[in-house]
Amino acid sequence: MSFGLFQREQRSLFGEILDWMLTPLLLLWPLSLALTWFVAQGIASKPFDRALEFNLQALTQFVVGQNGQVSFNLNAQARDLLRADDSDLVYYQVLDSRSQLISGEPDFPPPRDFETPEPGRVLLRDDLVRGDEVRVAYTWLARPDPERLVLMQVAETKGKRSTLAAEIIKGVMVPQFVILPLAVLLVWLALVRGIRPLNELEQRIRARKPDDLSPIEESAIPQEVAPLVSSINDLLARLTASLTTQRRFLADAAHQLKTPLAGLRMQAELAQRETDPVEIRGSLQQIARSSARATHTVNQLLALARAETTGRTLPSARIDLARLVRGVVQESVPRALEHGIDLGFEGPDHMPDDCLMDGNPILLQEMVRNLVDNAINYSGRGGVVTARVLLDPFSGVQILQVEDNGPGIPENEREFVLQPFYRALGTNVDGSGLGLAIVQEIAQQHGATVLMEDAHTDRSQRGLRAAVRFMPKTPRQE
C-alpha cells in the first residue's frame, strides 16, 4: 500500500518512489510560501521603519520647553513630514509629563505599561489607530526639566509595507510556479531512467523459453536488485534439481512398471491360446502374481511421492514413538504369520510426556511399515523380526530398530539401497526397490538419520539391523 497522496490499487515501486518524492515537495511548498511571506514582511518593514524613526527624530526638534511649559510649533517643514503619500496616513501625538495632550491625536494609544521611559531612545511597536493597523515610533524627551519627560509618538499605516511585501512574494512565487512543474518532470524522467534496468530485466525473463532454467546473468543488473536475482537463481537451481529428480524418477518408475505389465500381457495372450485348463490356470496364477507385483510397485511409488512432495505440508502432532511402532507391528502380525515369521516388539509401553516428538503420524507409520515389511520379505520362512524402540533418558535421543535374521546387505551397498529402485544383488525376493528410499525420505523430513548395520557382532551370523535415530528438537532440561 502506498502512503503518498496518490493511492494505487496495485503496488508499484515506481509509483511509491514518486509518491515519497512528490508528497513532501507538495506539502512543503505552501509552508515555504508562508515562511516567505513572514520574511518578506520583515524585509519590507526595515526601510520604512528607518524612515519613520527619521521622521520622529526630525519632529522632536519642534518640541520646545520654556518657562516650565512645553509647546509643539509646527512650521512648513514639519507639515511636510506629516503629509503622507497617497497610500498611507500619518498620526502623531505629544504628551507632557502629566499625560496632558500638547498636540496631535487625542485617541492615540499609549505605550505599553512595562516599557520604562528612557530619554532619547526611539522604540517601535505595532498598534491600532482609529481601526487601522499602524507602525508606531515613539520616544521620551527631557524638556524642559530632565525629571519631567515628554512623550512623542508618530504612527504610519502599513499600506506601503504591504504593497512591498506583496511584490516580494510575487517575485518569489512566480519562479516557483515555473520551477515546481519542471522539478516534477525532472524527477519523473530520473525515475524512468533509474528504473529502466528493472524493465530490461523483466524483458529478459519474459523472453526466456519455458524450459530455460539457466541462471540469470548478474553482471548487468543494479546492485539493489542483485540479492533478488541471486535468490531467483537459487530457486532456479533448486527447481532444476527437482525436475531432474522427477525425470529420473519417472524414467525409473516406467522401467519398473514395464516388466510386470509386459508379463501380464504375455500371460493373457498365452491364456487366450491355451485350451488345457491346467495351463490356463497356470497363466492366471502368473497374471495374479504380476498384478500383485505391479500393485505393490504403484503403492510404493505413491508412498514415495507423498513423502517427497507433501511431507512438509502435512500437519504435525505430538507422537509417542513406542505406541506408534507397537501399533504397526500389531497390524503386520497376520502378514508375518502368513510368511512363517516370528514378529515381535521390544520397548516401553509408552514414552514419557517430555519425550514425545513432533512429527507426522501418517508418514512415520509408513516409514515403520516399510522397515517391517522389508525385514519380513528378506527373513524367509522361519525367520525372526524384532522391532525395537530405545530411549536415552539423558540426551532425549530416540532410536527405532528393526532387526531380522535375513541375508543382510553388504557394507559396500548399504549406502545405495537407500536410493530409489536400487536392490542388493543375490536376492530372489520380489520388490520394487522403493521401501528403504521411502524410509530415508521420511527420516530426513523429521531430522532423523538412517543407519544399516549387522544384526550381530559375530560376522558368522546373518542378519540386518536398520536403525533410525531421532534427535530431540531442543536440549533436555534436567
Side-chain angles (χ1 to χ4, degrees):
M1 178 179 178
S2 174
F3 293 94
L5 295 179
F6 312 106
Q7 301 291 338
R8 296 173 178 83
E9 295 182 0
Q10 185 177 6
R11 181 172 180 150
S12 168
L13 180 61
F14 180 90
E16 286 198 9
I17 296 176
L18 195 63
D19 282 0
W20 281 108
M21 295 185 70
L22 296 184
T23 300
L25 184 62
L26 296 178
L27 292 178
L28 291 176
W29 184 56
L31 180 61
S32 69
L33 293 180
L35 293 177
T36 303
W37 170 260
F38 286 111
V39 172
Q41 291 284 351
I43 294 175
S45 294
K46 287 182 179 180
F48 295 108
D49 285 347
R50 287 194 295 267
L52 189 61
E53 291 177 10
F54 175 79
N55 293 339
L56 175 66
Q57 291 174 350
L59 290 174
T60 58
Q61 305 300 322
F62 301 99
V63 179
V64 180
Q66 187 177 7
N67 300 326
Q69 299 296 323
V70 179
S71 62
F72 182 70
N73 300 319
L74 286 176
N75 54 22
Q77 183 180 5
R79 291 187 181 90
D80 290 339
L81 291 175
L82 294 176
R83 185 180 294 116
D85 53 27
D86 295 337
S87 60
D88 284 318
L89 298 175
V90 175
Y91 306 96
Y92 78 97
Q93 183 188 64
V94 181
L95 299 178
D96 62 11
S97 59
R98 296 186 300 274
S99 299
Q100 296 296 320
L101 180 65
I102 297 175
S103 180
E105 304 294 336
D107 54 350
F108 205 107
R112 298 177 180 84
D113 295 338
F114 58 84
E115 294 174 349
T116 302
E118 183 177 344
R121 181 185 178 187
V122 178
L123 300 176
L124 297 168
R125 74 174 189 273
D126 293 321
D127 220 320
L128 290 175
V129 175
R130 298 177 183 177
D132 295 329
E133 292 186 357
V134 295
R135 185 71 167 168
V136 181
Y138 57 101
T139 186
W140 283 271
L141 305 174
R143 294 175 187 172
D145 187 356
E147 299 297 329
R148 302 172 65 183
L149 301 180
V150 176
L151 173 64
M152 183 170 187
Q153 302 184 90
V154 177
E156 183 182 46
T157 56
K158 296 183 177 182
K160 294 190 298 292
R161 301 166 188 263
S162 299
T163 302
L164 180 58
E167 293 296 328
I168 295 175
I169 289 294
K170 290 178 182 178
V172 173
M173 290 179 60
V174 171
Q176 287 190 4
F177 276 114
V178 177
I179 292 174
L180 184 62
L182 182 61
V184 172
L185 177 62
L186 293 177
V187 167
W188 186 83
L189 292 176
L191 282 177
V192 170
R193 181 177 179 83
I195 209 169
R196 184 179 300 168
L198 294 180
N199 297 331
E200 295 175 353
L201 178 61
E202 177 191 4
Q203 293 174 4
R204 286 164 53 190
I205 294 176
R206 287 183 179 275
R208 285 186 163 220
K209 296 181 180 180
D211 57 346
D212 184 6
L213 298 179
S214 60
I216 301 173
E217 179 62 37
E218 300 185 24
S219 59
I221 61 174
Q223 182 180 0
E224 289 74 12
V225 297
L228 174 61
V229 174
S230 178
S231 301
I232 293 176
N233 286 338
D234 180 63
L235 175 62
L236 290 175
R238 288 186 277 118
L239 182 59
T240 301
S242 176
L243 292 176
T244 302
T245 302
Q246 289 185 9
R247 293 190 188 101
R248 185 174 63 249
F249 178 81
L250 291 175
D252 293 340
H255 176 73
Q256 292 294 324
L257 290 174
K258 185 185 300 181
T259 301
L261 293 177
L264 281 172
R265 180 178 179 181
M266 182 184 67
Q267 294 298 329
E269 291 176 351
L270 291 175
Q272 291 177 358
R273 291 196 298 265
E274 290 290 343
T275 56
D276 186 358
V278 177
E279 294 295 334
I280 293 176
R281 183 179 181 84
S283 296
L284 292 176
Q285 291 175 350
Q286 289 293 334
I287 290 175
R289 283 193 291 269
S290 297
S291 176
R293 190 180 304 114
T295 301
H296 176 72
T297 301
V298 170
N299 289 335
Q300 292 290 79
L301 288 173
L302 293 175
L304 181 59
R306 182 173 63 248
E308 289 181 343
T309 60
T310 62
R312 294 178 178 83
T313 61
L314 288 176
S316 179
R318 301 288 288 172
I319 295 174
D320 187 331
L321 184 61
R323 288 182 177 176
L324 185 142
V325 174
R326 189 172 65 250
V328 174
V329 170
Q330 291 175 350
E331 294 175 1
S332 302
V333 168
R335 185 168 180 272
L337 294 177
E338 180 182 350
H339 289 75
I341 302 297
D342 182 7
L343 176 62
F345 170 77
E346 294 180 2
D349 292 337
H350 59 84
M351 289 291 186
D353 292 339
D354 59 344
C355 293
L356 299 181
M357 55 184 290
D358 292 329
N360 184 268
I362 297 176
L363 294 181
L364 289 175
Q365 288 176 358
E366 188 71 28
M367 181 188 70
V368 178
R369 188 175 297 109
N370 276 277
L371 286 174
V372 173
D373 288 347
N374 194 70
I376 292 175
N377 290 336
Y378 285 89
S379 293
R381 186 165 294 276
V384 178
V385 175
T386 303
R388 187 180 298 112
V389 175
L390 305 176
L391 171 65
D392 184 348
F394 299 101
S395 65
V397 175
Q398 302 181 43
I399 301 176
L400 164 65
Q401 294 180 347
V402 177
E403 184 179 303
D404 63 62
N405 60 349
I409 301 175
E411 290 186 10
N412 59 349
E413 296 187 34
R414 290 175 183 174
E415 180 181 354
F416 300 103
V417 296
L418 299 177
Q419 300 177 4
F421 304 112
Y422 185 90
R423 300 188 63 200
L425 299 176
T427 60
N428 297 321
V429 179
D430 290 338
S432 61
L434 293 173
L436 293 180
I438 295 173
V439 172
Q440 173 74 355
E441 179 64 29
I442 297 175
Q444 288 179 351
Q445 293 188 9
H446 288 80
T449 56
V450 181
L451 178 65
M452 300 291 171
E453 56 188 3
D454 294 323
H456 306 282
T457 55
D458 184 3
R459 296 294 183 89
S460 62
Q461 301 185 48
R462 302 189 311 169
L464 177 72
R465 181 187 298 120
V468 182
R469 183 183 181 90
F470 295 91
M471 300 299 296
K473 294 291 184 182
T474 56
R476 290 168 56 82
Q477 303 292 335
E478 297 297 334

